Structure formats: structure tokens, C-alpha cells
Amino acid sequence: MEEDLLQAVISVETAIQQSLESERKKAAKWLESVRVSLSRELETKKQHLAREYSDSLAAACSDCETRAKNRIREADRAAERLQNIPDSVLQEVVLEFLPAILPKER
């Protein structure tokens, strides 16, 4: 009877150990699948962020180019207006400031 009881205890202990090992293997497989899944998700998010960055950079460059072209156009218009000032107007302005520029006679 004691041998039967001992055999039963050993049998139960062996079954428990096998069950624990089986659960460890299942947990390891599950952890590996989660790791792989998260790794894929991370790569997808990286690619998404890279596309967003690229699109954002292109939009910013386009916006800067448009603003630069507008400023160049405005500067060209201002330069044209200044070039078209009649000489008579320029002479009046120069004559107005000439006394301040010339040295005073003693």
C-alpha cells in the first residue's frame, strides 16, 4: 500500500512537472508571437512616420518655395517702381537733403 501511495505521488508529481513544462513552452511561444507582432507593428509605425515626415518636409519646402517666389515678385515690382521714378522727383529729394550732406562753409 505504501508503495502504491508512493507510486501515485510520484505519478502526480511527474504529471505536474510535465504540465508545468508544457505551460512554460506555451508561454514562451506566446511571448515570442507577441514579440514578433510588436516588432511588425513597430516597423509599420516607423514606415508610417517616415512617410509622414517625408510628406511634411515636401509640403514645407513647397510652401517656402511659394513664399520665396512671392517675395521675389514683390521685390521685382518695388525695384521697377524705383527705377521708374522720374529724374525730377529724384532731383527734388537730393536737393532737399543736400544741405545736410555738404560741409558747411566757414
Side-chain angles (χ1 to χ4, degrees):
M1 185 159 154
E2 283 184 27
E3 274 187 42
D4 291 338
L5 185 60
L6 184 59
Q7 281 294 7
V9 168
I10 291 173
S11 177
V12 168
E13 186 176 307
T14 303
I16 290 172
Q17 286 178 349
Q18 288 174 347
S19 179
L20 284 174
E21 187 59 30
S22 173
E23 290 302 316
R24 279 190 196 110
K25 287 179 182 178
K26 285 180 188 176
K29 284 181 182 179
W30 178 80
L31 284 173
E32 180 62 18
S33 71
V34 168
R35 186 194 65 75
V36 168
S37 174
L38 290 175
S39 179
R40 286 182 188 145
E41 185 179 338
L42 177 63
E43 189 58 36
T44 300
K45 288 188 185 230
K46 280 182 180 179
Q47 290 172 356
H48 177 72
L49 287 174
R51 279 192 303 273
E52 278 186 357
Y53 170 76
S54 179
D55 293 348
S56 179
L57 183 61
C61 287
S62 177
D63 183 50
C64 287
E65 186 178 347
T66 300
R67 285 190 285 147
K69 285 178 181 178
N70 288 339
R71 287 190 179 180
I72 289 171
R73 255 187 263 119
E74 289 171 9
D76 286 343
R77 281 190 226 130
E80 189 176 331
R81 282 193 306 272
L82 290 174
Q83 286 177 342
N84 292 330
I85 295 175
D87 287 345
S88 60
V89 173
L90 292 174
Q91 285 175 350
E92 287 178 29
V93 172
V94 169
L95 288 174
E96 182 181 330
F97 288 99
L98 199 56
I101 296 171
L102 293 175
K104 294 183 181 177
E105 293 183 27
R106 292 185 197 188

